[in-house]
Amino acid sequence: HYLFTIGLVAVVARPILQLGGALVAAAWLGVVTNWLVDRAGHEGRGGTPRRTAATHSIPGAVGLGVALGVLPIVFPAALAPAALIAAGIQPSEVPFAASFMAALGALAGLSHLLLDALTEGGIYYHGHRWALAHWRYDCAAANLPFALLGLLMFAVALLGL
């Protein structure tokens, strides 16, 4: 999840943001979104963790991603505007920056759902579990291609292609 999301966010952000901003946004959203989707979105049933609709549904994952996307823009804008200016974001750019980060956050949440939809546990869609495939969550043959694709997208972002 982490490598795929970081690469995806980086390659989408790179045409709009400078390299440093794209990489910071990708790292923040890739790590924190995936970590929180899994930590906040599992419950124990008989000693076995089970996904819940709280974060393993489109509204849950997108909502969490959007909140995490706008947080690093809105929080400093309200409490320490000089920090945003130091980061190269002018006060007049805050609405665009927050909107763009919200979109990247939504993308991060959706990327997590895409990968989970390929597993036997699936995701929640309209209140029901739904899966595109039924791979085990720890299947190396399924996880490796997505990790490599994430690294490839990250390299494309780094090179500015």
Side-chain angles (χ1 to χ4, degrees):
H1 282 59
Y2 291 87
L3 289 175
F4 182 77
T5 302
I6 290 169
L8 179 62
V9 172
V11 80
V12 169
R14 184 62 182 102
I16 305 296
L17 302 177
Q18 293 181 13
L19 180 59
L23 298 182
V24 168
W28 164 255
L29 291 169
V31 172
V32 178
T33 302
N34 282 303
W35 186 81
L36 279 175
V37 164
D38 279 336
R39 292 308 162 269
H42 286 92
E43 65 183 5
R45 282 236 171 130
T48 304
R50 184 172 164 250
R51 293 177 185 146
T52 68
T55 61
H56 286 88
S57 63
I58 292 172
V62 168
L64 181 62
V66 167
L68 292 170
V70 300
L71 184 68
I73 303 297
V74 173
F75 188 68
L79 299 178
L84 283 178
I85 294 169
I89 300 172
Q90 298 302 315
S92 62
E93 298 170 332
V94 167
F96 173 78
S99 298
F100 188 63
M101 286 295 291
L104 293 176
L107 180 64
L110 289 171
S111 76
H112 187 102
L113 291 185
L114 170 65
L115 299 182
D116 277 358
L118 298 172
T119 67
E120 58 197 359
I123 62 169
Y124 286 88
Y125 182 69
H126 290 288
H128 301 285
R129 283 197 177 267
W130 180 81
L132 288 168
H134 294 280
W135 298 328
R136 289 184 46 82
Y137 77 94
D138 60 353
C139 176
N143 288 326
L144 183 61
F146 286 99
L148 292 175
L149 181 57
L151 289 173
L152 177 64
M153 291 185 290
F154 188 79
V156 166
L158 276 176
L159 297 172
L161 300 175

